[in-house]
Amino acid sequence: MDVRPSFSAAMKRLCVIGLLAVALPIAACASTPDETATDGATETEPSEAAQPETAQPETAQPEVAQADATVVDVAVDSGSFQTLTAAIQAAGLEETLQGAGPFTVFAPTDEAFAALPEGTVEELLLPENRDRLVQILTYHVVPGAVASSDILPGEVATVEGTSVNLVVQDGTVQVNEATVIQADVPASNGVIHVIDSVLIPAE
């Protein structure tokens, strides 16, 4: 019996099966999305870190004092020292206190002057009392620019010629009986320490 045709047919079937076995995985791979390509697409998307930041407007900070403002200018611009500035002008000390200095000024507020006995300020502003007014005002001025952190307890000579007594306790500075309620207000020719009462030197 001749078996060659049967053997030949069997070989053809095996070849077809083998080809199908190879072709199916290839087709499956071709239909699967390319993970590498997907990852690449994801990487091209802009990240949050790459997004441009929106510029935020800066908040303007109020200036305590201008760089070229003297102690007199600061007192005038503040609005809290109207009596003091009027007294400085009446005493003829405006030009002196606008000089190079430097000065440390213990500046009484308007409320401090208002606490004086009735009629005291008006009397001091009279031309005939100018010498006494100059004496009182210069008693509030110490030569040099002394920051509150550099104040030491004890007697300190004033421009008037006599001394004030400084006391430092628990971070608070007292000048005679007055208390510093705001320290270290800067000026171009010195520093101002605001006090709550008027210093009166002995006549």
Side-chain angles (χ1 to χ4, degrees):
M1 180 177 179
D2 190 359
V3 296
R4 285 179 297 178
S6 297
F7 176 79
S8 177
M11 289 298 294
K12 287 181 179 180
R13 283 196 296 270
L14 288 174
C15 288
V16 171
I17 291 171
L19 288 172
L20 288 174
V22 174
L24 286 175
I26 294 174
C29 291
S31 62
T32 302
D34 189 347
E35 292 181 359
T36 303
T38 302
D39 292 343
T42 302
E43 292 175 358
T44 59
E45 293 179 1
S47 63
E48 292 184 1
Q51 296 295 331
E53 295 183 359
T54 304
Q56 298 296 328
E58 294 184 1
T59 303
Q61 298 296 327
E63 295 181 359
V64 176
Q66 298 178 2
D68 59 348
T70 65
V71 290
V72 175
D73 297 329
V74 174
V76 171
D77 293 342
S78 168
S80 299
F81 306 102
Q82 295 181 14
T83 306
L84 176 61
T85 54
I88 289 172
Q89 292 169 355
L93 293 174
E94 188 172 14
E95 184 175 349
T96 299
L97 293 177
Q98 286 181 328
F103 307 105
T104 296
V105 179
F106 296 104
T109 62
D110 290 338
E111 291 77 8
F113 278 101
L116 292 173
E118 186 177 355
T120 300
V121 173
E122 291 77 9
E123 185 177 355
L124 287 171
L125 293 176
L126 294 175
E128 59 266 30
N129 295 322
R130 178 178 174 179
D131 289 345
R132 177 60 174 164
L133 182 59
V134 169
Q135 183 188 22
I136 291 173
L137 292 177
T138 53
Y139 189 60
H140 290 77
V141 182
V142 173
V146 183
S148 60
S149 59
D150 296 328
I151 291 177
L152 298 176
E155 299 289 323
V156 177
T158 68
V159 172
E160 182 265 339
T162 58
S163 298
V164 292
N165 182 48
L166 300 180
V167 177
V168 182
Q169 186 173 7
D170 297 329
T172 300
V173 177
Q174 281 192 303
V175 188
N176 291 353
E177 300 301 321
T179 300
V180 175
I181 57 176
Q182 182 180 355
D184 302 321
V185 179
S188 63
N189 63 342
V191 62
I192 295 173
H193 303 302
V194 184
I195 55 177
D196 63 356
S197 61
V198 180
L199 307 175
I200 304 294
E203 293 190 43

